[in-house]
Amino acid sequence: MVKQTCYLTFALQGKVKGEIGMFFKNVGMIEYEGADSENPYAFKYYNPDEYVGGKTMKEHLRFAVAYWHTFDADGKDPFGDGTMFRAWNRMTHPLDKAKARAEAAFEFFEKLGVPYFCFHDVDIVDEGATLRETFAYLDQMSSFLKEMMETSRVQLLWNTANMFTHPRYVHGAATSCNADVYAYAAAKVKKGLDIAKELGAENYVFWGGREGYETLLNTDMKLELENLASFYRMAVEYAREIGFDGQFLIEPKPKEPTKHQYDFDAATTIAFLETYGLKDHFKLNLEANHATLAGHTFEHELRVAALHDVLGSIDANQGDLLLGWDTDEFPTDLYSAVLAMYEILKAGGFKTGGINFDAKVRRPSFADEDLFHAHIAGMDTYAVGLKVASRLLEDKALDQVIEERYESYTKGIGLEIKEGRTDLKKLAAYALEHDQIENQSGRQERLKATVNRYLLNALREAPAEKETR
Ligand code: XUL
Ligand code: CO
């Protein structure tokens, strides 16, 4: 049984002033009840112990809760104030508030049964008046979280430093024109890596929300990119020095908040890493809504990363075609989840990474319980994605069309091209003899119907028997 009382233990020890007890009193442990269940507080498809292709769902999916959207956010948008008045955010002293928030967070993690969480430094405690004070707060909260983790099974998937909210980052952080800002950001990353080491984080993330430019008219792009590369290099060196062996991840995003961000998409980020000799030290944290902002599907980004062996982790969410900005909605689109899991499984699954819900409940979904409904929906969606993708791969359901499509490269001139045994003169001679070309159908619709059939069958079928390893 998952230990579920650590928050009470801390509260009773007087480590939290103010509210004592459970923050989610009306919600118990979320269990798997199966597809026929009508209980909104139960998983219908995510069965953590169920084996899918040799591993349990829990081992495959490695779900994480995002601290910022779940415990810090209050629903404010550019036009309106917050709508979510969380009991754990009521205290005024930063450390009291931070500890209450951590207690709520661990209660939530344990009731939901997620193995991981993720945070930015500013999520776990507000910044102080000076950097020194901020660091003192962070040290205290890092110890507090460490104690909570010791009495729980929840671990840290990744942490990161927020280098985009405060006005000091107006021109960027590691790409700022102001060297003092660069140094400040470096100090935050140093502290972030100390915390990652202390809490045993499996990864450390860089998301460059302000690393980019608004106009080339005032931008030295070469200097900014070189500075960014040095920044990453120093992070790798410091991690080595302190013995932090987690995986570094870069999270691409094309725009928002900055008009043009340097880590635009997977391909751009990989080219950057190659150019500056950093590729051995970094993998990517790919986010669905960032992919769509870049004009790609999520599966495109995952495939590009997998091809270059840098598929690290994902931020699971979805955008809204009618809105077009980074809406960070909880993933409920089963079809997309199937295609994403298909790419992830094909690439060998997660190693240090996992599925972080970088997703927020909508502003009108302001009740505390909505946080559970949203995560249950997201976890069930990815569980279906996993099952369907695994079955598609097991049955090689899509392979035959691909094999037939590229058959011309398995023999004759095609094989010579593939093996690099030809040149333009030989190809021209061949083309002159074979200029009556015949193409075959690409069979898109048939393939989409196959995916639909697997999806619908998976939803219909009874839960699989427990496999043994
Ligand atoms: C912003 C975003 C970030 C990163 C972490 O769009 O995705 O929350 O995931 O900084
Ligand atoms: Co993200």
Side-chain angles (χ1 to χ4, degrees):
M1 197 113 137
V2 178
K3 190 151 185 321
Q4 53 176 307
T5 50
C6 69
Y7 50 93
L8 275 181
T9 319
F10 280 96
L12 294 172
Q13 284 172 357
K15 293 201 175 184
V16 173
K17 296 181 203 110
E19 303 241 14
I20 285 187
M22 292 190 285
F23 287 101
F24 303 98
K25 289 196 184 73
N26 301 326
V27 184
M29 300 295 279
I30 310 296
E31 311 278 2
Y32 169 71
E33 289 185 5
D36 293 334
S37 169
E38 289 179 11
N39 176 2
Y41 293 101
F43 296 117
K44 319 296 182 303
Y45 302 100
Y46 176 60
N47 183 4
D49 300 324
E50 184 179 322
Y51 277 83
V52 176
K55 274 202 291 190
T56 64
M57 284 198 181
K58 190 173 178 174
E59 288 164 339
H60 270 293
L61 297 166
R62 297 165 58 87
F63 286 126
V65 171
Y67 218 88
W68 54 104
H69 286 311
T70 314
F71 309 110
D72 296 74
D74 66 0
K76 79 165 76 65
D77 71 14
F79 299 93
D81 292 341
T83 57
M84 299 159 191
F85 306 103
R86 309 296 191 202
W88 54 85
N89 282 332
R90 275 189 208 142
M91 274 172 273
T92 45
H93 190 278
L95 280 168
D96 290 339
K97 185 167 68 180
K99 287 176 184 173
R101 192 182 278 170
E103 305 235 330
F106 274 76
E107 179 184 346
F108 186 81
F109 302 151
E110 287 169 12
K111 286 187 168 173
L112 192 63
V114 280
Y116 292 104
F117 68 114
C118 301
F119 64 81
H120 302 84
D121 47 7
V122 303
D123 305 334
I124 59 166
V125 62
D126 293 349
E127 290 190 308
T130 61
L131 185 58
R132 217 175 284 284
E133 189 175 43
T134 298
F135 282 178
Y137 287 169
L138 282 171
D139 288 343
Q140 284 210 43
M141 278 315 293
S142 171
S143 310
F144 190 80
L145 289 175
K146 191 172 180 186
E147 277 182 66
M148 298 203 83
M149 288 167 74
E150 276 162 7
T151 57
S152 133
R153 294 190 197 171
V154 184
Q155 292 171 13
L156 185 57
L157 187 65
W158 52 260
N159 62 313
T160 182
N162 176 321
M163 304 191 293
F164 44 90
T165 301
H166 193 279
R168 75 178 70 87
Y169 306 115
V170 61
H171 301 303
T175 60
S176 174
C177 51
N178 183 344
D180 286 355
V181 176
Y182 189 98
Y184 194 103
K188 294 245 291 179
V189 169
K190 177 176 177 291
K191 179 57 77 184
L193 290 170
D194 291 337
I195 293 172
K197 161 103 173 129
E198 162 119 343
L199 300 186
E202 300 220 12
N203 308 273
Y204 185 86
V205 164
F206 288 99
W207 169 62
R210 305 258 177 216
E211 312 294 23
Y213 64 85
E214 294 291 328
T215 170
L216 284 177
L217 296 175
N218 68 8
T219 301
D220 184 340
M221 190 192 275
K222 185 167 184 285
L223 178 71
E224 290 195 5
L225 287 170
E226 283 168 3
N227 282 351
L228 182 60
S230 308
F231 195 89
Y232 287 148
R233 203 168 294 118
M234 287 188 282
V236 170
E237 280 162 13
Y238 184 68
R240 193 176 300 136
E241 195 180 317
I242 62 171
F244 170 64
D245 56 7
Q247 174 66 50
F248 279 106
L249 300 172
I250 295 180
E251 185 176 324
K253 185 175 181 182
K255 56 190 165 195
E256 202 203 341
T258 304
K259 184 163 125 181
H260 182 103
Q261 283 165 206
Y262 289 133
D263 300 326
F264 189 94
D265 61 0
T268 315
T269 309
I270 291 163
F272 171 87
L273 292 172
E274 297 267 20
T275 304
Y276 293 98
L278 290 163
K279 191 161 160 279
D280 290 348
H281 304 289
F282 287 83
K283 290 192 189 301
L284 304 184
N285 181 40
L286 294 165
E287 177 165 326
N289 207 166
H290 295 182
T292 47
L293 284 178
H296 301 308
T297 59
F298 192 25
E299 56 273 19
H300 167 93
E301 289 293 83
L302 293 165
R303 178 73 63 96
V304 170
L307 281 179
H308 293 268
D309 199 21
V310 291
L311 205 179
S313 198
I314 69 167
D315 272 8
N317 60 15
Q318 66 189 37
D320 185 324
L321 289 178
L322 300 182
L323 297 177
W325 63 87
D326 192 15
T327 57
D328 280 345
E329 296 179 26
F330 271 85
T332 51
D333 179 340
L334 297 173
Y335 197 82
S336 296
V338 170
L339 298 183
M341 284 313 301
Y342 189 77
E343 296 303 323
I344 291 162
L345 291 183
K346 250 167 94 91
F350 295 120
K351 301 204 169 52
T352 63
I355 298 179
N356 169 47
F357 290 107
D358 193 350
K360 56 190 174 211
V361 286
R362 301 301 84 192
R363 190 165 180 264
S365 302
F366 48 75
D368 292 353
E369 299 81 54
D370 288 314
L371 297 172
F372 280 96
H373 299 315
H375 282 86
I376 291 169
M379 290 163 81
D380 271 341
T381 298
Y382 265 85
V384 172
L386 167 66
K387 284 183 88 162
V388 177
S390 165
R391 197 62 62 79
L392 283 165
L393 285 164
E394 214 175 277
D395 292 357
K396 300 189 183 330
L398 307 174
D399 293 9
Q400 198 194 336
V401 168
I402 294 181
E403 269 167 35
E404 286 174 9
R405 201 157 173 254
Y406 294 94
E407 208 187 348
S408 67
Y409 289 95
T410 61
K411 52 185 187 270
I413 193 74
L415 192 60
E416 286 183 40
I417 294 171
K418 199 173 162 215
E419 292 177 349
R421 289 188 282 114
T422 189
D423 56 40
L424 285 189
K425 276 189 290 179
K426 274 199 222 168
L427 288 170
Y430 178 90
L432 285 169
E433 297 304 317
H434 299 83
D435 62 350
Q436 300 305 303
I437 290 168
E438 240 183 86
N439 267 315
Q440 305 290 327
S441 163
R443 303 262 185 257
Q444 282 187 52
E445 295 77 6
R446 193 176 109 187
L447 291 168
K448 287 185 178 176
T450 303
V451 175
N452 275 356
R453 183 162 56 82
Y454 271 74
L455 181 51
L456 292 168
N457 285 347
L459 295 178
R460 243 197 328 250
E461 83 194 7
E465 292 289 313
K466 272 198 177 176
E467 289 174 35
T468 45
R469 274 182 200 273

